[in-house]
């Protein structure tokens, strides 16, 4: 099983450019998440989707939009990238909302110049 | 805001020694999870302990939870070079059909062969 797959692995953007980070899971999980990881700050939740067709803001949603395209796919879009969005982005999924672990992809390293 | 704070921030031990990492959290939780992250990779779930449990084992891992002190510890016994990684605690809090999982800032463990 591939688990959670993220594309691309690396990306460099100029300020103001837009891009979409893709995430797909093959575990038939209901919930999907986008986190960002910055040095010394752990992981912070950007958006999540508890089920197909629903999305909600997390801790740091400003500057981002998401789409739960179907049960497998959850994309994160930066409409106008800013240097403060330079980070490593992780997608995660889990089976249900109570006491089940998160399964992570290997991340997308994004640099905004 | 971070739910968990790990202590120490960094730990260096010899292969074969035990490694203990501590986590303190701020609010009441439904579970406490531990994850490992190898350099350049996503997080991998290690163990989940529910709020009504005090201790849990998985192979060389032992996790304790003290809800009165809002703290948890992860013990890795007989460490190996392959255990070199960052370790994160994460608190799960149920809220309106969704379980919010908030991560700490991590402990970087180095196991010297």
């Amino acid at each position: 099983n591939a688990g959670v797959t993220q594309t691309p692995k690396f990306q460099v953007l100029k300020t103001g450019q837009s891009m979409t980070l893709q995430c797909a899971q093959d575990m038939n999980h209901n919930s999907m998440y986008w986190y960002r990881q910055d040095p010394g700050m752990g992981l912070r939740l950007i958006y999540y989707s508890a089920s197909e067709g629903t999305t909600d803001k997390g801790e740091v949603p400003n500057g981002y939009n998401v789409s739960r395209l179907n049960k497998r796919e959850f994309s994160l879009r930066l409409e106008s990238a800013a240097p403060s969005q330079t980070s490593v982005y992780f997608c995660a999924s889990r089976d249900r909302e109570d006491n089940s672990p998160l399964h992570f992809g290997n991340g997308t390293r994004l640099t905004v110049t | 805001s971070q739910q968990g704070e790990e202590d120490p921030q960094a730990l260096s031990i010899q292969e074969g020694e035990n490694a203990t990492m501590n986590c303190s959290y701020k609010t009441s939780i439904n579970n406490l999870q531990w994850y490992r992250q190898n350099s350049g990779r996503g997080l991998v779930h290690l163990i989940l302990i529910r709020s009504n449990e005090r201790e849990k084992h998985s192979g060389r891992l032992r996790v304790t939870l003290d809800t009165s002190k809002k703290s948890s510890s992860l013990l890795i016994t007989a460490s190996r070079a392959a255990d070199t990684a960052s370790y994160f605690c994460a608190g799960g809090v149920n809220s309106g059909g969704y379980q919010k999982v908030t991560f700490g800032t991590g402990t970087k463990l180095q196991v010297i062969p």
Side-chain angles (χ1 to χ4, degrees):
Chain A
N1 282 343
V4 179
T5 303
Q6 291 183 238
T7 55
K9 288 187 168 62
F10 301 93
Q11 183 72 50
V12 179
L13 293 177
K14 295 188 188 305
T15 297
Q17 288 184 318
S18 62
M19 79 160 295
T20 300
L21 282 65
Q22 307 287 352
C23 173
Q25 53 92 7
D26 62 2
M27 295 172 283
N28 202 35
H29 286 171
N30 291 308
S31 303
M32 297 186 74
Y33 309 81
W34 277 104
Y35 285 89
R36 60 178 288 175
Q37 184 177 33
D38 301 292
M41 299 195 71
L43 276 79
R44 293 181 291 168
L45 182 65
I46 305 171
Y47 270 94
Y48 67 95
S49 171
S51 63
E52 186 179 351
T54 68
T55 61
D56 286 284
K57 295 178 181 178
E59 189 183 352
V60 288
N62 291 344
Y64 306 95
N65 284 302
V66 290
S67 295
R68 184 75 183 267
L69 304 168
N70 46 55
K71 193 170 186 179
R72 289 188 65 246
E73 298 171 288
F74 188 38
S75 62
L76 178 72
R77 182 159 178 85
L78 286 71
E79 291 291 351
S80 179
S84 60
Q85 294 178 305
T86 292
S87 189
V88 182
Y89 291 85
F90 288 98
C91 177
S93 70
R94 66 177 168 180
D95 184 26
R96 59 189 188 280
E97 282 298 312
D98 60 335
N99 299 321
S100 65
L102 290 163
H103 298 259
F104 283 85
N106 282 325
T108 294
R109 187 174 295 274
L110 174 67
T111 302
V112 183
T113 61
Chain B
S1 61
Q2 300 301 316
Q3 172 66 278
E5 298 223 353
E6 284 91 341
D7 171 54
Q9 289 186 329
L11 179 61
S12 184
I13 59 174
Q14 296 289 329
E15 198 166 32
E17 294 181 336
N18 295 341
T20 299
M21 289 160 268
N22 301 298
C23 169
S24 59
Y25 56 92
K26 298 173 185 173
T27 64
S28 294
I29 56 171
N30 296 95
N31 64 60
L32 196 289
Q33 304 169 39
W34 285 91
Y35 291 81
R36 182 187 75 230
Q37 184 180 33
N38 291 93
S39 181
R41 308 281 289 184
L43 281 72
V44 174
H45 178 259
L46 294 175
I47 196 163
L48 181 151
I49 185 166
R50 301 183 187 212
S51 59
N52 61 353
E53 297 175 311
R54 292 295 165 258
E55 188 170 312
K56 203 161 182 181
H57 297 254
S58 177
R60 294 185 295 113
L61 306 180
R62 173 178 169 254
V63 167
T64 61
L65 180 64
D66 186 336
T67 53
S68 66
K69 294 182 180 177
K70 291 188 169 59
S71 68
S72 174
S73 68
L74 171 68
L75 168 67
I76 303 174
T77 59
S79 64
R80 304 167 182 169
D83 295 328
T84 294
S86 292
Y87 292 81
F88 294 86
C89 68
V93 179
N94 291 342
S95 174
Y98 161 69
Q99 186 176 90
K100 182 178 179 181
V101 178
T102 308
F103 286 81
T105 53
T107 292
K108 187 170 283 192
L109 172 67
Q110 181 186 28
V111 180
I112 302 167

